[in-house]
Each structure stands twice: as C-alpha cells, then as structure tokens.
Amino acid sequence: QVQLVESGGGLVQAGGSLRLSCAASGRTFITYAMGWFRQAPGKQRELVAGINSAGITNYADSVKGRFTISRDNSKNTVYLQMNSLKPEDTAVYLCNAEWNTRSSWGQGTQVTVSS
C-alpha cells in the first residue's frame, strides 16, 4: 500500500503563491504517475496537474502558466508550485498516485485564496 501525505495548504491573498508537497511511502515511487486534483464547493473533482514516471507533465487549461508540478524521486515527493493565485483556485487539493491498475489518494489540504 502507498500512503500519501500532503502539506503546504493555507490562506493566501489573490496574486500570492503557495507550494504544496505530497510525500509518498511506496518503494517504487519512480514508477508512479503522480497528480494533483482539486475539488471546490459545488464543483466536480478535476485534475489540476499530472506528472508521469518519465517526467512528462500536463495541466488543466485554467492553471497553465501559473502552476508547476515537479517530482523529486530521491525524496519520494511531488510538488505543486502555485503562483498568481486567484479566488477561483480555492479548493481542497488532493494528491494521487497511480501504478499499474492501482491508485492511492491523500487526505487533501485546503487552499483558500482571498480577493
């Protein structure tokens, strides 16, 4: 089993920045595809950013140019750098790991952006 622990969420003013971290417990972290999802009140859960085992990234259109996903395989950690934050980014952010046909989720961390 893979355990995921997120950190770095909080309250920030519009235009500010936050960096989220997700630490994984798996022995084969380098083989996992990692992603950040978010769920806002009244909205469906959506993929914000993903990074596969080869380091290829993808982003939701709404965050392109503002968010950056990265991974440090030596630390079993994936990051989400969030810049130029907007009130619309307010949501619970969830870390996800996928390998083969299996997946694991973190508990989530709240990000609130004030106007």
Side-chain angles (χ1 to χ4, degrees):
Q1 292 292 328
V2 174
Q3 292 188 175
L4 304 172
V5 180
E6 302 102 329
S7 61
L11 281 69
V12 65
Q13 289 185 307
S17 298
L18 287 173
R19 189 177 77 155
L20 306 183
S21 299
C22 175
S25 65
R27 291 184 176 183
T28 56
F29 177 80
I30 59 172
T31 71
Y32 304 161
M34 303 295 298
W36 287 98
F37 291 72
R38 69 185 180 189
Q39 187 160 29
K43 304 293 184 181
Q44 293 185 332
R45 183 175 296 180
E46 65 171 339
L47 175 66
V48 177
I51 183 166
N52 69 10
S53 60
I56 299 173
T57 60
N58 63 286
Y59 299 90
D61 288 342
S62 60
V63 307
K64 286 180 180 177
R66 300 189 298 120
F67 291 11
T68 303
I69 189 171
S70 61
R71 66 193 297 160
D72 186 340
N73 292 329
S74 70
K75 297 181 179 179
N76 273 28
T77 301
V78 64
Y79 304 96
L80 184 67
Q81 179 66 46
M82 304 185 293
N83 298 326
S84 301
L85 282 161
K86 305 174 180 180
E88 308 93 270
D89 296 318
T90 295
V92 173
Y93 283 72
L94 300 153
C95 182
N96 178 73
E98 292 188 340
W99 70 105
N100 296 326
T101 60
R102 311 188 72 173
S103 67
S104 185
W105 292 89
Q107 289 293 111
T109 185
Q110 177 70 45
V111 171
T112 302
V113 184
S114 63
S115 60

